Amino acid sequence: MNNQFPEISVGDTLPPLITEPITRTQLAYYMAGSGDYFPVHVDIDFARNEAGLPDVIGHGMLTMAFVGRLLTDWCFQGAVKRLSARFVQVTRVGDVIVCTGGVKSISPGEDDETVATIVLAAKNQNDEIVLKGEAQVLVR
Amino acid sequence: MLDFALIGHRFNKFTVSIDAFRLKIFAQAIGERNPVYFDEAAAKNAGYPDILAPLTFIYCLNDDQPDPSAAITLFGLKVQHVLHAEQEIVPYRLLFAGEKLTGQMSIADAFEKKGGQLKFIVCDTAFRDSSDEIVARLVSTLVVRDE
């Protein structure tokens, strides 16, 4: 963990974060930790009978949490001013999620701050995009 | 048709607390191995007052409000038809186990696309600490497909 703002340049890429395959146990833990108790994430009977899905699906916010880890593995968490994400596709049990980020721009922010815009993405093992996002990180 | 007059509607304030036990489960769930996110001694050694809440954890506290589906039911829509389309998190400072926060959600926007087949509701929640300082803002975009 770095307790300082990152030294970065436009075009820099963050070290990718590659998850272990998503497990049902993990989705159960995420349900308990997040407080999102919607059964579609852990109950295959509910997924099939009530939601018309072949199996349970991962929480979009679990993918966003992976992207959060990508950022905080790279810079001090306190430097992150904003994180936004669009959920493109659901995740499933067995999915390996690859999170990537790149420095798109660095520009002045408020109060003499310098802010880097990081473009973020998460893909599954089939190279399908599951999440697209952006973060603003203080660099000075 | 969405009732656009509901834009600006503010829900009741609610209080939440950041629980160390829950942070441990959350860290496990998201595969976070840095002990500052689940071990009190490690967090304090790193200079934090207590276990650090990960970047996206604040979203979980929004679902702790008495009626997390309030925005959906306000518009007369069904939870089963809702998808989480987008999420924005604006942290004002780091948050730690043991903190108590007050949240308040409002309807920031509501709009339709594809001739009303897709309805979007944007909720904005602000969290404040015991000093009434804002500590985080969440902007959630929900999409409801017409069934």
Side-chain angles (χ1 to χ4, degrees), chain A residues 26 33 69 77 82-83 85, chain B residues 22 29-30 37 85 87-89:
Chain A
Q26 179 173 21
R69 280 178 49 204
Q77 185 170 326
R82 192 174 151 267
L83 172 59
Chain B
R22 186 180 183 180
I30 70 173
Y37 292 106
Q87 183 62 45
E88 182 180 345
I89 297 174

Side-chain angles (χ1 to χ4, degrees), chain A residues 1 26 29-30 32-36 61-62 64-66 68-69 71-73 76-78 80-87, chain B residues 22 25-26 28-32 34 37 46 48 52-57 59-60 63 84-91 94:
Chain A
M1 180 203 59
Q26 179 173 21
Y29 268 89
Y30 192 79
S34 69
D36 179 356
M61 287 305 295
L62 171 59
M64 196 173 181
F66 294 147
R69 280 178 49 204
L71 278 171
T72 57
D73 283 352
F76 171 48
Q77 185 170 326
V80 181
K81 288 178 65 92
R82 192 174 151 267
L83 172 59
S84 64
R86 185 162 62 84
F87 303 112
Chain B
R22 186 180 183 180
I25 295 175
F26 189 81
Q28 171 94 357
I30 70 173
E32 177 58 78
N34 186 336
Y37 292 106
Y48 296 126
L52 174 62
L55 210 42
T56 64
F57 182 79
Y59 173 83
C60 307
D63 278 353
H84 194 177
E86 294 182 33
Q87 183 62 45
E88 182 180 345
I89 297 174
V90 183
L94 299 178

Side-chain angles (χ1 to χ4, degrees), chain A residues 27 30-31 34 36 38 41 57-64 91:
Chain A
L27 294 179
Y30 192 79
M31 167 183 276
S34 69
D36 179 356
F38 195 33
H41 301 297
I57 56 174
H59 310 70
M61 287 305 295
L62 171 59
T63 308
M64 196 173 181
T91 59

